[in-house]
Amino acid sequence: MYIHEIEAKWGIDLSAISNNGGAEKRFDFVVKGSDTVYGIETNFYTSSGSKLNETARSYKTITLETRDLEYFKFVWFTDGCGCHNAKNNLKETFDVLEHLYNIADLENGIISKVLI
């Protein structure tokens, strides 16, 4: 779902992550909780490397840009040996993300416990 679709559907302002309408971010999934809209990205990495590092930097930026928005939260579901092998390189990003989950979290019902 694109940012402009989220804004139109739920009447929220996401200009903090759209460069005031100049950039069009698309989330893999969007979930509407009782008071919060969650923009969700998902991926699985079989190896570490520049793609994982760049994705992590991008998601850190989105998290920081939306930190003060009470009605929107960014969520990242990721897993794979690439994430496990790159823990030290990604620590800075992992430290900022409030909602960072893996497959085990999904299997243990994290969505109903935290996001809804």
Side-chain angles (χ1 to χ4, degrees):
M1 189 172 209
Y2 287 99
I3 288 175
H4 77 274
E5 295 170 319
I6 298 167
E7 290 176 321
K9 183 170 182 118
W10 289 296
I12 62 175
D13 176 16
L14 295 178
S15 59
I17 54 175
S18 71
N19 194 22
N20 291 314
E24 188 64 274
K25 170 74 180 132
R26 180 183 172 275
F27 293 98
D28 292 334
F29 301 94
V30 178
V31 174
K32 172 72 168 81
S34 56
D35 297 323
T36 307
V37 175
Y38 298 92
I40 301 171
E41 287 292 330
T42 59
N43 44 48
F44 187 90
Y45 292 98
T46 57
S47 64
S48 57
S50 60
K51 175 66 175 168
L52 173 56
N53 292 337
E54 184 54 37
T55 298
R57 276 192 293 275
S58 171
Y59 292 173
K60 176 185 175 186
T61 300
I62 292 171
T63 300
L64 294 174
E65 290 172 342
T66 60
R67 178 168 274 163
D68 295 333
L69 303 180
E70 293 181 20
Y71 49 83
F72 181 87
K73 297 296 175 200
F74 177 69
V75 181
W76 184 15
F77 288 102
T78 190
D79 212 325
C81 58
C83 292
H84 302 292
N85 295 338
K87 281 183 186 177
N88 292 334
N89 292 344
L90 302 174
K91 184 179 181 339
E92 181 181 331
T93 299
F94 290 168
D95 287 346
V96 215
L97 295 170
E98 176 185 357
H99 296 288
L100 172 63
Y101 306 108
N102 62 20
I103 291 172
D105 295 324
L106 283 169
E107 291 171 341
N108 291 319
I110 195 68
I111 291 177
S112 61
K113 291 176 186 174
V114 177
L115 303 185
I116 305 297

